[in-house]
Amino acid sequence: MNYIRDIQLKQNNGYNAIIEIPKGTKRKYELVDKSFDQLVEVRRMTHRYPYYYGCFTQTDADDNDPLDFILLTKRKFKSLDVVNVQPIAVVKTVDHDEIDDKVICVLRDENIKTDKLLKHTMKFLQSFKGKDSKTIVDPNLYGMDEAIKTLDRNHQTYMNNLQLKTIKIF
């Protein structure tokens, strides 16, 4: 199974995403969908992540990877678990001159208070790569409407690229 290609983005009034970095760990699975092949690459990160981090299925972001997401939850998950989420905000970042937005989400069926978690997430994103980082984090947090627009745009890019790949094969 190809996690990015074979799992529908929209399901049950939510969006499917894959956990790459479990909360509290440094281990990362990076999913890449290039030319219909799937590469699962394991990395050790320098910092422990205070939340779950991963990517959305069937998306192609401006950095040529699936769109990133951050999951705020009290539940426990492991790497490569598929979760159905509701976007609540988007953080706009630029990493090495490429747009690298992160959609912040909660589980569709979980009610949690997010105010403190959002503040903590923004602080982490602004500092986790260090002082010499080439990552720029917009200090504004954009709401659910902008998060959904970002998801829809990146899904449309994925579908357009998939169609182009299919045409090239024949």
Side-chain angles (χ1 to χ4, degrees), residues 8-94:
Q8 293 296 313
L9 174 62
K10 294 181 182 181
Q11 182 181 16
N12 300 328
N13 295 319
Y15 296 84
N16 284 322
I18 299 122
I19 302 291
E20 293 176 315
I21 305 173
K23 181 179 178 178
T25 68
K26 295 181 180 182
R27 187 177 203 136
K28 179 178 182 179
Y29 287 83
E30 186 170 327
L31 298 172
V32 183
D33 185 17
K34 301 286 184 191
S35 302
F36 295 109
D37 293 327
Q38 179 179 353
L39 172 67
V40 180
E41 172 181 301
V42 181
R43 290 187 191 167
R44 293 289 268 166
M45 307 305 287
T46 56
H47 292 78
R48 292 189 187 281
Y49 276 65
Y51 43 72
Y52 292 94
Y53 187 94
C55 66
F56 285 98
T57 64
Q58 297 185 347
T59 59
D60 196 359
D62 294 319
D63 62 355
N64 294 314
D65 284 332
L67 180 63
D68 296 329
F69 90 107
I70 293 168
L71 176 61
L72 306 177
T73 183
K74 293 179 181 179
R75 295 191 192 157
K76 298 208 183 286
F77 295 100
K78 60 187 185 304
S79 296
L80 301 180
D81 279 350
V82 177
V83 292
N84 192 254
V85 299
Q86 176 64 46
I88 60 170
V90 63
V91 177
K92 296 182 180 283
T93 72
V94 176

Coordinates of all heavy atoms in Angstrom, one line a residue, residues 8-94:
Q8 N -7.6 7.9 0.8 CA -8.3 9.1 0.4 C -8.0 10.2 1.4 O -7.9 10.0 2.6 CB -9.8 8.8 0.3 CG -10.3 7.9 -0.7 CD -10.0 8.4 -2.1 OE1 -10.3 9.6 -2.4 NE2 -9.4 7.6 -3.0
L9 N -8.0 11.5 0.9 CA -7.7 12.6 1.8 C -9.0 12.9 2.6 O -8.9 13.0 3.8 CB -7.4 13.9 1.0 CG -7.3 15.2 1.8 CD1 -6.2 15.1 2.8 CD2 -7.1 16.3 0.8
K10 N -10.1 13.0 2.0 CA -11.4 13.3 2.7 C -12.1 12.0 3.0 O -12.4 11.2 2.2 CB -12.2 14.2 1.9 CG -11.6 15.6 1.7 CD -12.5 16.5 0.9 CE -11.8 17.9 0.7 NZ -12.6 18.8 -0.1
Q11 N -12.5 11.9 4.3 CA -13.3 10.7 4.8 C -14.0 11.1 6.0 O -13.5 11.7 6.9 CB -12.4 9.6 5.0 CG -13.1 8.3 5.4 CD -12.1 7.2 5.7 OE1 -10.9 7.4 5.8 NE2 -12.6 6.0 5.7
N12 N -15.3 10.7 6.1 CA -16.1 10.9 7.4 C -16.1 12.4 7.8 O -16.0 12.6 9.0 CB -15.6 10.0 8.5 CG -15.7 8.5 8.2 OD1 -16.6 8.1 7.4 ND2 -14.7 7.8 8.6
N13 N -16.3 13.3 6.9 CA -16.3 14.7 7.2 C -15.0 15.2 7.8 O -15.0 16.2 8.5 CB -17.5 15.1 8.1 CG -18.8 14.8 7.4 OD1 -18.9 15.1 6.2 ND2 -19.7 14.3 8.1
G14 N -13.9 14.5 7.6 CA -12.6 14.9 8.1 C -11.5 14.7 7.1 O -11.9 14.4 5.9
Y15 N -10.3 14.8 7.5 CA -9.2 14.6 6.5 C -8.2 13.5 7.1 O -8.0 13.5 8.3 CB -8.4 15.9 6.4 CG -9.2 17.0 5.8 CD1 -10.1 17.8 6.5 CD2 -9.1 17.2 4.4 CE1 -10.8 18.8 5.9 CE2 -9.8 18.3 3.8 CZ -10.7 19.0 4.6 OH -11.4 20.0 4.0
N16 N -7.8 12.6 6.2 CA -6.8 11.6 6.7 C -5.4 12.1 6.6 O -5.0 12.7 5.6 CB -7.0 10.3 5.8 CG -8.2 9.6 6.1 OD1 -8.6 9.4 7.3 ND2 -8.9 9.0 5.1
A17 N -4.7 11.8 7.6 CA -3.3 12.1 7.7 C -2.5 11.0 8.4 O -3.1 10.1 9.0 CB -3.1 13.4 8.5
I18 N -1.2 11.0 8.2 CA -0.3 9.9 8.6 C 0.7 10.5 9.7 O 1.3 11.5 9.4 CB 0.4 9.2 7.5 CG1 -0.5 8.6 6.5 CG2 1.4 8.2 8.0 CD1 -0.4 9.2 5.1
I19 N 0.8 9.8 10.8 CA 1.7 10.2 11.8 C 3.1 9.8 11.4 O 3.4 8.6 11.0 CB 1.4 9.5 13.2 CG1 0.0 9.8 13.7 CG2 2.5 9.8 14.2 CD1 -0.2 11.2 14.1
E20 N 4.0 10.8 11.3 CA 5.4 10.5 11.0 C 6.3 10.6 12.2 O 7.2 9.8 12.4 CB 5.9 11.5 10.0 CG 5.3 11.4 8.6 CD 5.8 12.5 7.6 OE1 5.8 13.7 8.0 OE2 6.1 12.1 6.5
I21 N 6.0 11.5 13.1 CA 6.7 11.7 14.4 C 5.8 11.6 15.5 O 4.9 12.5 15.7 CB 7.5 13.0 14.4 CG1 8.4 13.2 13.2 CG2 8.3 13.1 15.7 CD1 9.0 14.6 13.2
P22 N 5.8 10.5 16.3 CA 5.0 10.5 17.5 C 5.4 11.5 18.6 O 6.5 11.9 18.7 CB 5.2 9.1 18.1 CG 5.7 8.3 16.9 CD 6.5 9.3 16.1
K23 N 4.4 12.0 19.3 CA 4.6 13.0 20.3 C 5.6 12.4 21.3 O 5.6 11.3 21.7 CB 3.3 13.2 21.1 CG 3.3 14.2 22.2 CD 2.0 14.4 22.8 CE 2.0 15.3 24.0 NZ 0.6 15.5 24.5
G24 N 6.6 13.3 21.7 CA 7.6 13.0 22.7 C 8.8 12.2 22.2 O 9.6 11.7 22.9
T25 N 8.8 12.0 20.8 CA 9.9 11.2 20.3 C 10.8 12.0 19.3 O 10.4 13.1 19.0 CB 9.4 10.0 19.5 OG1 8.7 10.4 18.3 CG2 8.5 9.1 20.3
K26 N 11.9 11.4 18.9 CA 12.8 12.0 17.9 C 12.8 11.2 16.6 O 13.5 11.6 15.7 CB 14.2 12.0 18.5 CG 14.4 12.9 19.7 CD 15.9 12.9 20.1 CE 16.1 13.7 21.3 NZ 17.5 13.7 21.7
R27 N 12.1 10.1 16.5 CA 12.1 9.2 15.4 C 11.1 9.7 14.3 O 9.9 9.9 14.7 CB 11.8 7.8 15.8 CG 12.0 6.8 14.7 CD 11.8 5.4 15.2 NE 12.4 4.6 14.3 CZ 13.2 3.6 14.6 NH1 13.3 3.2 15.9 NH2 13.8 2.9 13.7
K28 N 11.5 9.8 13.1 CA 10.6 10.3 12.0 C 10.6 9.3 10.8 O 11.6 8.9 10.3 CB 11.1 11.6 11.5 CG 10.2 12.2 10.4 CD 10.7 13.5 9.9 CE 9.7 14.1 8.9 NZ 10.1 15.4 8.4
Y29 N 9.4 9.0 10.4 CA 9.2 8.3 9.1 C 8.8 9.4 8.1 O 7.8 10.1 8.4 CB 8.1 7.3 9.2 CG 8.5 6.1 9.9 CD1 8.4 6.0 11.3 CD2 8.9 4.9 9.3 CE1 8.7 4.9 12.0 CE2 9.2 3.8 9.9 CZ 9.1 3.8 11.3 OH 9.5 2.6 12.0
E30 N 9.5 9.6 7.0 CA 9.1 10.6 6.0 C 8.6 9.9 4.8 O 9.2 9.1 4.2 CB 10.3 11.4 5.7 CG 10.0 12.6 4.8 CD 11.1 13.5 4.6 OE1 11.9 13.7 5.5 OE2 11.2 14.1 3.5
L31 N 7.3 10.2 4.5 CA 6.7 9.6 3.3 C 6.8 10.5 2.1 O 6.5 11.6 2.2 CB 5.2 9.4 3.7 CG 4.9 8.5 4.8 CD1 3.4 8.5 5.2 CD2 5.3 7.1 4.5
V32 N 7.3 9.9 1.1 CA 7.5 10.6 -0.2 C 6.9 9.8 -1.3 O 7.1 8.6 -1.4 CB 9.0 10.8 -0.4 CG1 9.2 11.7 -1.7 CG2 9.7 11.5 0.7
D33 N 6.1 10.5 -2.1 CA 5.4 9.8 -3.3 C 6.0 10.4 -4.5 O 5.6 11.5 -5.0 CB 3.9 10.0 -3.2 CG 3.2 9.3 -4.3 OD1 3.8 8.4 -4.9 OD2 2.0 9.6 -4.5
K34 N 7.0 9.8 -5.1 CA 7.7 10.3 -6.3 C 7.5 9.2 -7.4 O 7.8 8.0 -7.3 CB 9.2 10.5 -6.1 CG 9.5 11.5 -5.0 CD 9.2 12.9 -5.4 CE 9.6 13.9 -4.4 NZ 9.1 15.2 -4.6
S35 N 6.9 9.6 -8.6 CA 6.8 8.7 -9.7 C 6.1 7.4 -9.4 O 6.5 6.4 -9.8 CB 8.1 8.5 -10.4 OG 8.7 9.7 -10.8
F36 N 5.1 7.5 -8.5 CA 4.3 6.3 -8.1 C 5.0 5.4 -7.2 O 4.5 4.3 -6.9 CB 3.8 5.5 -9.3 CG 2.8 6.3 -10.1 CD1 3.1 6.7 -11.4 CD2 1.5 6.6 -9.6 CE1 2.2 7.5 -12.2 CE2 0.6 7.3 -10.4 CZ 0.9 7.7 -11.7
D37 N 6.2 5.7 -6.7 CA 7.0 4.9 -5.8 C 6.8 5.6 -4.4 O 6.7 6.8 -4.3 CB 8.4 4.8 -6.2 CG 8.7 4.1 -7.4 OD1 7.9 3.1 -7.7 OD2 9.6 4.4 -8.2
Q38 N 6.9 4.7 -3.4 CA 6.9 5.2 -2.0 C 8.2 5.0 -1.4 O 8.7 3.9 -1.4 CB 5.7 4.5 -1.3 CG 5.6 5.0 0.2 CD 4.5 4.4 0.9 OE1 3.7 3.6 0.3 NE2 4.5 4.6 2.2
L39 N 8.7 6.0 -0.8 CA 10.0 5.9 0.0 C 9.7 6.2 1.4 O 9.1 7.2 1.8 CB 11.0 6.9 -0.5 CG 12.3 7.0 0.3 CD1 13.1 5.7 0.2 CD2 13.1 8.1 -0.3
V40 N 10.0 5.2 2.3 CA 9.8 5.5 3.8 C 11.2 5.6 4.3 O 12.0 4.6 4.3 CB 9.0 4.3 4.4 CG1 8.9 4.6 5.9 CG2 7.6 4.2 3.8
E41 N 11.5 6.7 4.9 CA 12.9 7.0 5.3 C 12.8 7.3 6.8 O 12.0 8.1 7.3 CB 13.3 8.2 4.5 CG 14.6 8.9 4.9 CD 14.8 10.1 3.9 OE1 14.9 9.9 2.7 OE2 14.9 11.2 4.5
V42 N 13.7 6.7 7.6 CA 13.7 6.9 9.0 C 14.8 7.9 9.4 O 15.9 7.7 8.9 CB 13.9 5.6 9.8 CG1 13.9 5.8 11.3 CG2 12.8 4.6 9.4
R43 N 14.5 8.9 10.2 CA 15.5 9.9 10.6 C 15.4 10.0 12.1 O 14.3 9.8 12.7 CB 15.2 11.2 10.0 CG 15.4 11.3 8.6 CD 15.2 12.8 8.2 NE 15.2 12.9 6.8 CZ 14.8 14.0 6.2 NH1 14.4 15.1 6.8 NH2 14.9 14.1 4.9
R44 N 16.5 10.4 12.7 CA 16.5 10.8 14.1 C 16.5 12.4 14.2 O 17.4 13.0 13.6 CB 17.7 10.3 14.9 CG 17.8 8.8 15.0 CD 16.8 8.3 16.0 NE 17.3 8.1 17.3 CZ 16.5 7.9 18.3 NH1 15.2 7.8 18.1 NH2 16.9 7.7 19.5
M45 N 15.6 13.0 14.8 CA 15.5 14.4 14.9 C 16.3 14.9 16.1 O 16.5 14.1 17.1 CB 14.0 14.8 15.1 CG 13.1 14.3 14.0 SD 13.6 14.7 12.3 CE 13.2 16.4 12.2
T46 N 16.6 16.2 16.2 CA 17.4 16.7 17.3 C 16.6 17.0 18.5 O 17.1 16.9 19.6 CB 18.2 17.9 16.9 OG1 17.2 18.9 16.4 CG2 19.2 17.6 15.8
H47 N 15.3 17.3 18.4 CA 14.5 17.6 19.5 C 13.3 16.6 19.6 O 12.9 16.1 18.6 CB 13.9 19.0 19.3 CG 14.9 20.1 19.4 ND1 15.7 20.4 18.3 CD2 15.2 21.0 20.4 CE1 16.5 21.4 18.7 NE2 16.2 21.8 19.9
R48 N 12.8 16.5 20.8 CA 11.6 15.7 21.0 C 10.4 16.6 20.6 O 10.4 17.8 20.9 CB 11.5 15.3 22.4 CG 12.5 14.2 22.9 CD 12.2 13.7 24.2 NE 13.3 12.8 24.6 CZ 13.5 11.6 24.2 NH1 12.7 11.0 23.4 NH2 14.5 10.9 24.6
Y49 N 9.5 16.0 19.9 CA 8.3 16.8 19.5 C 7.3 16.8 20.5 O 6.9 15.8 21.1 CB 7.8 16.2 18.2 CG 8.5 16.7 16.9 CD1 9.9 16.4 16.7 CD2 7.9 17.5 16.0 CE1 10.5 16.9 15.6 CE2 8.6 18.0 14.9 CZ 9.9 17.7 14.7 OH 10.6 18.2 13.7
P50 N 6.7 18.0 20.8 CA 5.7 18.1 21.9 C 4.3 17.8 21.4 O 3.3 18.0 22.1 CB 5.8 19.6 22.3 CG 6.2 20.3 21.1 CD 7.1 19.3 20.4
Y51 N 4.2 17.3 20.2 CA 2.9 17.0 19.5 C 3.2 15.9 18.5 O 4.3 15.6 18.1 CB 2.2 18.2 18.9 CG 3.2 19.1 18.2 CD1 3.7 18.7 16.9 CD2 3.6 20.3 18.7 CE1 4.7 19.5 16.2 CE2 4.5 21.1 18.0 CZ 5.0 20.7 16.8 OH 5.9 21.4 16.1
Y52 N 2.1 15.4 17.9 CA 2.2 14.5 16.7 C 2.4 15.3 15.5 O 1.8 16.3 15.3 CB 1.0 13.6 16.6 CG 0.9 12.6 17.7 CD1 0.1 12.9 18.9 CD2 1.5 11.4 17.7 CE1 0.0 12.0 19.9 CE2 1.4 10.5 18.8 CZ 0.6 10.8 19.9 OH 0.6 10.0 20.9
Y53 N 3.3 14.8 14.6 CA 3.6 15.5 13.4 C 3.6 14.5 12.2 O 4.0 13.4 12.4 CB 5.0 16.1 13.5 CG 5.5 17.0 12.4 CD1 5.3 18.4 12.5 CD2 6.1 16.5 11.3 CE1 5.8 19.2 11.5 CE2 6.5 17.3 10.3 CZ 6.4 18.7 10.4 OH 6.8 19.5 9.4
G54 N 3.1 15.0 11.1 CA 3.1 14.1 9.9 C 2.6 14.8 8.7 O 2.9 16.0 8.5
C55 N 1.9 14.0 7.8 CA 1.5 14.6 6.5 C 0.1 14.1 6.1 O -0.3 13.1 6.6 CB 2.5 14.3 5.4 SG 2.7 12.5 5.0
F56 N -0.5 14.9 5.3 CA -1.8 14.5 4.8 C -1.6 13.6 3.5 O -0.7 13.8 2.8 CB -2.6 15.8 4.3 CG -3.1 16.6 5.5 CD1 -2.4 17.7 6.0 CD2 -4.3 16.2 6.1 CE1 -2.9 18.4 7.0 CE2 -4.8 16.9 7.2 CZ -4.1 18.0 7.6
T57 N -2.6 12.8 3.4 CA -2.6 11.9 2.2 C -3.0 12.8 1.0 O -3.6 13.8 1.1 CB -3.6 10.7 2.3 OG1 -4.9 11.3 2.5 CG2 -3.2 9.9 3.6
Q58 N -2.6 12.3 -0.2 CA -3.1 12.9 -1.5 C -2.9 14.4 -1.5 O -3.8 15.1 -1.9 CB -4.5 12.5 -1.8 CG -4.6 11.0 -2.0 CD -6.0 10.6 -2.5 OE1 -6.9 11.3 -2.4 NE2 -6.0 9.3 -2.9
T59 N -1.8 14.9 -1.0 CA -1.5 16.3 -1.1 C -0.1 16.5 -1.6 O 0.8 15.6 -1.5 CB -1.6 17.1 0.2 OG1 -0.7 16.4 1.2 CG2 -3.0 17.0 0.8
D60 N 0.2 17.6 -2.3 CA 1.5 18.0 -2.8 C 1.7 19.4 -2.5 O 1.1 20.3 -3.1 CB 1.6 17.7 -4.3 CG 3.0 17.7 -4.8 OD1 3.9 17.9 -4.0 OD2 3.2 17.4 -6.0
A61 N 2.6 19.7 -1.5 CA 2.8 21.1 -1.0 C 3.8 21.8 -1.9 O 4.5 21.2 -2.8 CB 3.2 21.1 0.4
D62 N 4.0 23.0 -1.6 CA 5.0 23.9 -2.4 C 6.4 23.4 -2.3 O 7.2 23.7 -3.1 CB 4.9 25.3 -1.9 CG 3.5 25.9 -2.3 OD1 3.0 25.6 -3.4 OD2 2.9 26.7 -1.5
D63 N 6.7 22.6 -1.2 CA 8.1 22.1 -1.1 C 8.2 20.7 -1.7 O 9.2 20.0 -1.5 CB 8.5 22.0 0.4 CG 7.6 21.1 1.2 OD1 6.6 20.6 0.7 OD2 7.9 20.9 2.4
N64 N 7.2 20.3 -2.5 CA 7.2 19.0 -3.3 C 7.1 17.8 -2.4 O 7.5 16.7 -2.8 CB 8.4 18.9 -4.2 CG 8.4 20.0 -5.3 OD1 7.3 20.2 -5.9 ND2 9.5 20.7 -5.5
D65 N 6.6 18.0 -1.2 CA 6.3 16.9 -0.3 C 4.9 17.0 0.1 O 4.2 18.0 -0.1 CB 7.2 17.0 1.0 CG 8.6 16.7 0.8 OD1 8.9 15.8 0.0 OD2 9.5 17.2 1.6
P66 N 4.3 15.9 0.7 CA 2.9 16.0 1.2 C 2.8 17.1 2.2 O 3.8 17.4 2.9 CB 2.7 14.6 1.8 CG 3.6 13.7 1.1 CD 4.8 14.6 0.8
L67 N 1.7 17.7 2.3 CA 1.4 18.8 3.2 C 1.6 18.4 4.7 O 1.0 17.3 5.1 CB 0.0 19.4 3.0 CG -0.4 20.6 3.9 CD1 0.4 21.8 3.7 CD2 -1.9 20.9 3.6
D68 N 2.3 19.1 5.5 CA 2.6 18.8 6.9 C 1.3 19.1 7.8 O 0.6 20.0 7.5 CB 3.7 19.6 7.4 CG 5.0 19.3 6.7 OD1 5.2 18.2 6.3 OD2 5.9 20.2 6.6
F69 N 1.2 18.3 8.9 CA 0.2 18.6 9.9 C 0.7 18.4 11.2 O 1.7 17.6 11.4 CB -1.1 17.8 9.6 CG -1.1 16.4 10.3 CD1 -1.9 16.2 11.4 CD2 -0.4 15.4 9.8 CE1 -2.0 15.0 12.0 CE2 -0.4 14.1 10.4 CZ -1.2 14.0 11.5
I70 N 0.1 19.0 12.2 CA 0.4 18.9 13.6 C -0.9 18.5 14.3 O -1.9 19.1 14.1 CB 0.9 20.2 14.2 CG1 2.3 20.6 13.6 CG2 1.0 20.2 15.7 CD1 2.8 22.0 13.8
L71 N -0.8 17.4 15.1 CA -2.0 16.9 15.7 C -1.9 17.2 17.2 O -1.0 16.8 17.9 CB -2.2 15.4 15.5 CG -3.3 14.8 16.2 CD1 -4.7 15.3 15.8 CD2 -3.3 13.2 16.0
L72 N -2.9 17.9 17.8 CA -3.1 18.2 19.2 C -4.1 17.2 19.7 O -5.3 17.3 19.4 CB -3.5 19.7 19.4 CG -2.7 20.7 18.7 CD1 -3.3 22.1 19.0 CD2 -1.2 20.7 19.2
T73 N -3.6 16.3 20.6 CA -4.5 15.3 21.1 C -4.0 14.8 22.4 O -2.8 14.9 22.7 CB -4.7 14.1 20.1 OG1 -5.6 13.2 20.6 CG2 -3.4 13.5 19.8
K74 N -4.8 14.1 23.2 CA -4.4 13.4 24.4 C -4.3 11.9 24.1 O -3.7 11.2 25.0 CB -5.5 13.6 25.5 CG -5.6 15.1 26.0 CD -6.6 15.3 27.0 CE -6.7 16.7 27.5 NZ -7.7 17.0 28.5
R75 N -4.7 11.5 23.0 CA -4.6 10.0 22.7 C -3.2 9.7 22.2 O -2.4 10.5 21.9 CB -5.6 9.7 21.6 CG -7.1 9.9 22.0 CD -8.0 9.3 21.0 NE -9.4 9.8 21.4 CZ -10.4 9.8 20.5 NH1 -10.2 9.4 19.3 NH2 -11.6 10.2 20.9
K76 N -3.0 8.4 22.2 CA -1.6 7.9 21.9 C -1.7 7.2 20.5 O -2.6 6.5 20.2 CB -1.2 6.9 22.9 CG -1.0 7.5 24.3 CD 0.0 6.7 25.1 CE 0.1 7.3 26.5 NZ 0.8 8.5 26.6
F77 N -0.7 7.5 19.7 CA -0.5 7.0 18.4 C 1.0 6.6 18.2 O 1.8 7.1 18.9 CB -0.9 8.0 17.3 CG -2.4 8.3 17.3 CD1 -2.9 9.5 17.9 CD2 -3.3 7.4 16.8 CE1 -4.2 9.8 18.0 CE2 -4.7 7.7 16.8 CZ -5.1 8.9 17.4
K78 N 1.2 5.8 17.1 CA 2.6 5.5 16.8 C 2.9 5.9 15.3 O 1.9 6.2 14.6 CB 2.8 4.0 17.0 CG 2.0 3.0 16.2 CD 2.2 1.6 16.7 CE 1.5 0.6 15.9 NZ 0.0 0.7 15.8
S79 N 4.1 5.8 14.9 CA 4.5 6.1 13.5 C 3.7 5.3 12.5 O 3.4 4.1 12.8 CB 6.0 5.8 13.3 OG 6.7 6.6 14.1
L80 N 3.3 6.0 11.5 CA 2.5 5.4 10.4 C 1.0 5.1 10.7 O 0.3 4.5 9.9 CB 3.2 4.2 9.8 CG 4.6 4.4 9.2 CD1 5.2 3.2 8.7 CD2 4.6 5.5 8.2
D81 N 0.6 5.5 11.9 CA -0.9 5.4 12.1 C -1.6 6.4 11.3 O -1.1 7.6 11.1 CB -1.2 5.7 13.6 CG -1.0 4.5 14.5 OD1 -0.8 3.4 14.0 OD2 -1.0 4.7 15.7
V82 N -2.8 6.1 10.7 CA -3.6 7.0 10.0 C -4.7 7.5 10.9 O -5.3 6.8 11.6 CB -4.3 6.2 8.8 CG1 -5.2 7.2 8.0 CG2 -3.2 5.7 7.9
V83 N -4.8 8.9 10.9 CA -5.8 9.5 11.8 C -6.7 10.4 11.0 O -6.3 10.9 9.9 CB -5.0 10.4 12.9 CG1 -4.3 9.5 13.9 CG2 -4.1 11.4 12.2
N84 N -7.9 10.5 11.4 CA -8.9 11.3 10.8 C -9.1 12.6 11.6 O -9.5 12.5 12.8 CB -10.3 10.6 10.6 CG -11.2 11.3 9.7 OD1 -12.2 11.9 10.1 ND2 -11.0 11.2 8.4
V85 N -8.8 13.7 11.0 CA -8.6 15.0 11.7 C -9.5 16.1 11.2 O -10.0 16.0 10.0 CB -7.1 15.4 11.7 CG1 -6.2 14.4 12.4 CG2 -6.7 15.8 10.3
Q86 N -9.6 17.1 12.0 CA -10.3 18.3 11.6 C -9.3 19.5 11.8 O -8.7 19.7 12.8 CB -11.5 18.6 12.6 CG -12.2 19.9 12.3 CD -12.9 20.0 11.0 OE1 -13.5 19.0 10.6 NE2 -12.7 21.0 10.3
P87 N -9.0 20.2 10.7 CA -8.1 21.3 10.8 C -8.7 22.5 11.6 O -9.9 22.7 11.5 CB -7.9 21.8 9.3 CG -9.0 21.1 8.5 CD -9.5 20.0 9.3
I88 N -7.8 23.1 12.4 CA -8.3 24.2 13.2 C -7.5 25.5 12.9 O -8.0 26.6 13.2 CB -8.3 24.0 14.7 CG1 -6.9 23.6 15.2 CG2 -9.3 22.9 15.1 CD1 -6.7 23.6 16.7
A89 N -6.3 25.4 12.3 CA -5.5 26.5 12.0 C -4.4 26.1 11.0 O -4.1 24.9 10.8 CB -4.9 27.1 13.3
V90 N -3.7 27.1 10.5 CA -2.5 26.9 9.7 C -1.4 27.8 10.1 O -1.7 29.0 10.4 CB -2.8 26.9 8.2 CG1 -3.2 28.3 7.8 CG2 -1.6 26.4 7.4
V91 N -0.2 27.3 10.2 CA 1.0 28.1 10.5 C 1.8 28.2 9.2 O 2.1 27.2 8.6 CB 1.9 27.5 11.6 CG1 3.2 28.4 11.8 CG2 1.1 27.4 12.9
K92 N 2.0 29.4 8.7 CA 2.8 29.6 7.5 C 4.3 29.8 7.8 O 4.7 30.6 8.6 CB 2.2 30.9 6.7 CG 0.8 30.7 6.3 CD 0.2 31.9 5.6 CE -1.2 31.6 5.2 NZ -1.4 30.8 4.1
T93 N 5.0 28.9 7.2 CA 6.5 28.9 7.3 C 7.2 28.9 6.0 O 6.6 28.4 5.0 CB 7.0 27.8 8.2 OG1 6.9 26.5 7.5 CG2 6.2 27.6 9.5
V94 N 8.4 29.3 6.0 CA 9.3 29.2 4.8 C 10.6 28.5 5.3 O 11.2 29.0 6.3 CB 9.6 30.6 4.2 CG1 10.6 30.4 3.1 CG2 8.3 31.3 3.7

